[in-house]
Amino acid sequence: MSTSTPAEVDPHLPTIRGNENVFRWDAGWLLVLAASALLAILVLVVGNPFDRIFRFVLDGVRVTLTVTLVTFGLVLIVGIIGALGRLTQVAPLRGLATLYVEVVRGIPLLVQLYFWYYAFPSIVRDLGAQWNIESMKNFVANPYVMAIAGLTLCYGAYMTEVYRAGIQSIPKGQMEAARSLGMTYFQAMRYIILPQAIRVILPPVGNEFITLLKDSSLVSAVAVADLTRRGREFQAITPLPLHIYLMIGLMYLIMTLLSARVVAMIEARMSKER
């Protein structure tokens, strides 16, 4: 889902400015209101079975948001480490980071989730049997931990390339000037290069978050009780696929539309501060 940058917003639309916040009313907010109003009508006006579905899957929304936010925080860390590895002059580290990116991006996310939930615990138990370590022999995978691990490593590879492109967009003279002032490589990255690169990579980072929010539905395949899995559980009790997946899709739509608006507001604020 794409986000609107300040340059794409109609200048005649009303703007509300706080001390540091920038809020622009655009068509995206109309979509948020329309989707929210439709959800309210289905739950409060139409009622059964939409109200029952909503109450049943509501805890899945919390799980979906928790998995997404925790994963995204880890993805940002993995991404910057991967990007620095890709850009380092140390050949083994650069090769390892490149291998990670190319391999992970070449395997479907669902397959990776299956690996972490089914294959990885089997590897741990086999090693535990060989080394006679009781805790490893009895290892049982936590579905939430495995799901977050799979999502993090997968999206970390994509975020690595986002960071790398942002860092390389900064003129090399910036790094040379920082080093000439006595800064170390990491000091120059922290204080000079990365603050500038963040402004460049913010739109793709925002889009990665929105994509991650939608792709988090795949964790339902590895026993995580997210929004999608709760919908499937309700269908097992009451087979109403049209009603169930209309509600699930609408709830995902509201979350992604809100996320897109928040990203647009952050972009507007950073553009104002530039």
Side-chain angles (χ1 to χ4, degrees):
M1 181 177 297
S2 62
T3 57
S4 299
T5 61
E8 296 171 338
V9 178
D10 188 342
H12 300 292
L13 291 174
T15 301
I16 302 174
R17 295 180 181 271
N19 293 333
E20 294 292 337
N21 298 315
V22 177
F23 177 85
R24 290 183 182 273
W25 181 263
D26 58 23
W29 287 109
L30 293 178
L31 289 175
V32 174
L33 292 177
S36 302
L38 179 56
L39 179 65
I41 291 171
L42 291 176
V43 173
L44 301 176
V45 179
V46 178
N48 189 52
F50 293 109
D51 56 345
R52 292 192 294 124
I53 297 171
F54 181 77
R55 290 194 300 271
F56 189 88
V57 304
L58 191 57
D59 58 338
V61 175
R62 176 183 57 81
V63 173
T64 292
L65 291 175
T66 300
V67 168
T68 301
L69 292 173
V70 171
T71 299
F72 192 69
L74 295 173
V75 164
L76 292 176
I77 297 172
V78 172
I80 187 61
I81 294 173
L84 293 177
R86 290 271 277 158
L87 296 172
T88 185
Q89 299 300 315
V90 181
L93 292 179
R94 185 171 66 251
L96 186 61
T98 301
L99 180 64
Y100 159 65
V101 170
E102 296 300 328
V103 170
V104 170
R105 292 199 305 172
I107 302 174
L109 174 56
L110 184 58
V111 175
Q112 295 185 49
L113 291 173
Y114 282 147
F115 173 85
W116 285 103
Y117 186 65
Y118 294 110
F120 179 74
S122 177
I123 295 173
V124 173
R125 287 191 292 267
D126 289 344
L127 291 176
Q130 292 181 15
W131 299 339
N132 196 27
I133 301 176
E134 200 65 29
S135 59
M136 293 179 64
K137 287 193 291 185
N138 300 322
F139 178 76
V140 177
N142 182 301
Y144 292 90
V145 173
M146 294 297 100
I148 290 173
L151 288 172
T152 298
L153 289 176
C154 180
Y155 270 82
Y158 291 95
M159 193 62 71
T160 292
E161 291 301 278
V162 171
Y163 273 116
R164 182 185 62 81
I167 292 172
Q168 288 184 325
S169 70
I170 306 303
K172 293 182 179 181
Q174 299 275 346
M175 174 62 76
E176 295 171 356
R179 297 301 299 274
S180 68
L181 293 174
M183 289 186 177
T184 66
Y185 175 82
F186 290 104
Q187 286 177 327
M189 275 290 178
R190 179 181 176 184
Y191 296 110
I192 305 298
I193 305 301
L194 287 179
Q196 298 180 75
I198 287 173
R199 298 180 185 274
V200 177
I201 68 175
L202 182 60
V205 167
N207 286 335
E208 287 294 309
F209 175 81
I210 295 168
T211 305
L212 174 62
L213 174 59
K214 294 184 292 183
D215 281 352
S216 68
S217 62
L218 293 174
V219 303
S220 63
V222 290
V224 175
D226 71 325
L227 178 56
T228 301
R229 187 174 182 88
R230 292 294 283 166
R232 289 165 52 192
E233 292 172 353
F234 190 91
Q235 185 181 5
I237 301 171
T238 309
L240 296 170
L242 175 61
H243 302 78
I244 293 169
Y245 292 109
L246 175 61
M247 284 291 293
I248 298 298
L250 189 56
M251 294 170 79
Y252 272 113
L253 178 63
I254 292 172
M255 288 190 289
T256 53
L257 288 174
L258 277 173
S259 300
R261 293 303 92 211
V262 170
V263 171
M265 290 172 62
I266 295 174
E267 289 180 32
R269 175 176 177 175
M270 295 193 71
S271 176
K272 176 187 176 184
E273 293 173 350
R274 183 174 298 177

